[in-house]
């Protein structure tokens, strides 16, 4: 079924993200009930038209769907497992950050209590909520997502990843891996160029161009990984390893921290020692895919 913009919603947890989520529902016309342990955090939302519930159990009864966004999964279980909280028949969408194992455990816990449960991850900062730039990931039963998709559209660009409740959390940390890797690579390059008097603002457009160019390689590299074959169509790993050595040498000569490129070079050296030097860079998935020391 599809929902209209008058569908009542509940938001539990009013940190910066929770307040942004509730604000987006209000802006889209949804009757919105809110609850937070520190009641004063709801003041502005109440002034904008939200209803403040006196307790979590009361809040859940008011909405057709309840969004949970609190500090961690332990807090989710404590709040929803308290006396006076009835979950049977409730639709819960948990946008709390945590691990995929926690997501699966919480999904099982909620479903045992009769709830319809989706796990999710917010890939956006609070000011972006309610715009197309806010990507909200969901995983769990497809029917639950489809039943409430129109309501969830108020938050941004919503996506259902699959029935495994842990997928949203996995995508979340995979996205963080991309974010930090890009930022760390940029910081490494910035630190190097600063030794020659080049400021970060001057380097940033060049770095952005490089990052965008590398992103274009991903679909082709993904096909190699999925096929388990890494023909050197552009460059062999042993060639890349020599370039890594140049980066390490340049960093050390300039007095710049070389730990990051040394780490990647160590992984490349292991792959080369295992006979993969003539293959293309994505063959390093074999190193990323196993714990250190194996």
């Amino acid at each position: 079924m599809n929902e209209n913009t008058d569908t009542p919603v509940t938001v539990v947890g009013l940190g910066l993200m929770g307040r942004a989520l509730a604000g987006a529902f209000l802006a889209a016309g949804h009757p919105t009930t809110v609850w937070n342990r520190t009641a004063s955090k709801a003041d502005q939302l109440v002034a904008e038209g939200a209803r403040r519930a006196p307790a979590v159990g009361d809040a859940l009864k008011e909405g057709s769907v309840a969004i949970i966004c609190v500090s961690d999964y332990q807090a989710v279980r404590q709040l929803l497992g308290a006396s006076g909280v009835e979950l049977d028949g409730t639709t819960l969408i948990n946008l709390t950050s945590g691990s995929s194992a926690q997501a699966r455990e919480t999904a099982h816990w909620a479903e045992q209590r009769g709830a319809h449960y989706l796990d999710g991850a917010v890939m956006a900062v609070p000011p972006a909520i309610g715009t197309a730039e806010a990507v909200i990931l969901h995983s769990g039963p497809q029917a639950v997502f489809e039943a409430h998709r129109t309501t969830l559209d108020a938050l941004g660009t919503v996506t259902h990843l699959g029935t495994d409740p842990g997928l949203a959390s996995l995508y979340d940390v995979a996205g963080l891996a991309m974010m930090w890797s890009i930022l760390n690579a940029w910081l490494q390059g910035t630190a190097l160029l600063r030794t020659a008097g080049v400021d970060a603002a001057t380097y940033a457009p060049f770095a952005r161009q490089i990052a965008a160019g590398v992103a274009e390689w991903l679909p082709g590299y993904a096909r190699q990984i999925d096929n388990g074959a890494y023909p050197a169509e552009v460059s062999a790993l042993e060639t890349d390893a020599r370039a890594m050595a140049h980066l390490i040498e340049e960093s050390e000569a300039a007095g710049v921290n070389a730990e990051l490129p040394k780490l990647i070079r160590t992984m490349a050296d292991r792959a080369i020692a295992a006979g993969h030097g003539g293959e293309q860079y994505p063959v390093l998935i074999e190193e990323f895919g196993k714990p250190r020391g194996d």
Side-chain angles (χ1 to χ4, degrees):
M1 69 177 180
N2 287 327
E3 298 185 327
N4 299 317
T5 56
D6 60 356
T7 301
V9 299
T10 289
V11 177
V12 173
L14 300 176
L16 289 175
M17 184 59 74
R19 293 200 297 273
L21 297 170
F25 284 129
L26 283 170
H30 292 280
T32 303
T33 298
V34 296
W35 182 88
N36 192 74
R37 195 183 303 276
T38 303
S40 60
K41 288 192 175 182
D43 289 349
Q44 183 59 42
L45 291 166
V46 171
E48 294 170 2
R51 176 185 180 275
R52 188 192 337 247
V56 175
D58 298 307
L60 296 182
K61 292 175 184 176
E62 294 295 325
S64 296
V65 59
I67 307 295
I68 316 296
C69 186
V70 292
S71 58
D72 54 37
Y73 279 77
Q74 182 179 357
V76 171
R77 301 272 281 268
Q78 287 176 341
L79 287 172
L80 300 184
S83 61
V85 176
E86 177 59 55
L87 296 184
D88 190 28
T90 301
T91 297
L92 300 174
I93 300 179
N94 185 12
L95 299 183
T96 300
S97 296
S99 70
S100 59
Q102 290 173 322
R104 295 183 185 109
E105 291 166 2
T106 303
H108 180 67
W109 179 87
E111 288 162 0
Q112 281 188 316
R113 287 156 179 78
H116 308 293
Y117 182 90
L118 286 177
D119 209 85
V122 181
M123 309 300 290
V125 294
I129 299 299
T131 73
E133 285 70 37
V135 175
I136 318 292
L137 307 177
H138 301 85
S139 54
Q142 178 83 35
V144 177
F145 175 76
E146 294 300 337
H148 300 284
R149 179 168 192 158
T150 302
T151 296
L152 295 172
D153 280 340
L155 302 180
T157 302
V158 298
T159 301
H160 184 258
L161 300 170
T163 58
D164 175 1
L167 278 175
S169 291
L170 277 176
Y171 266 77
D172 185 18
V173 294
L176 292 175
M178 285 291 298
M179 180 187 74
W180 287 325
S181 295
I182 292 168
L183 288 173
N184 289 336
W186 176 68
L187 291 170
Q188 179 85 37
T190 299
L192 272 169
L193 286 167
R194 284 203 310 176
T195 67
V198 179
D199 60 24
T202 299
Y203 173 50
F206 176 79
R208 184 177 181 180
Q209 183 180 16
I210 293 293
V214 172
E216 293 298 317
W217 303 348
L218 298 184
Y221 280 8
R223 286 191 293 272
Q224 289 195 341
I225 291 171
D226 291 342
N227 292 334
Y230 312 95
E233 298 167 348
V234 176
S235 177
L237 181 60
E238 56 193 6
T239 302
D240 291 321
R242 288 194 290 271
M244 294 173 196
H246 300 327
L247 173 56
I248 294 167
E249 179 183 357
E250 189 73 59
S251 297
E252 291 180 332
V256 168
N257 190 305
E259 290 175 276
L260 179 59
K262 282 182 176 179
L263 172 62
I264 304 303
R265 174 62 193 267
T266 296
M267 297 177 73
D269 286 345
R270 287 202 298 265
I272 292 168
H276 300 298
E279 296 175 87
Q280 196 153 263
Y281 197 86
V283 74
L284 278 183
I285 190 66
E286 306 300 336
E287 293 299 320
F288 279 100
K290 61 188 180 185
R292 184 175 178 180
D294 284 12

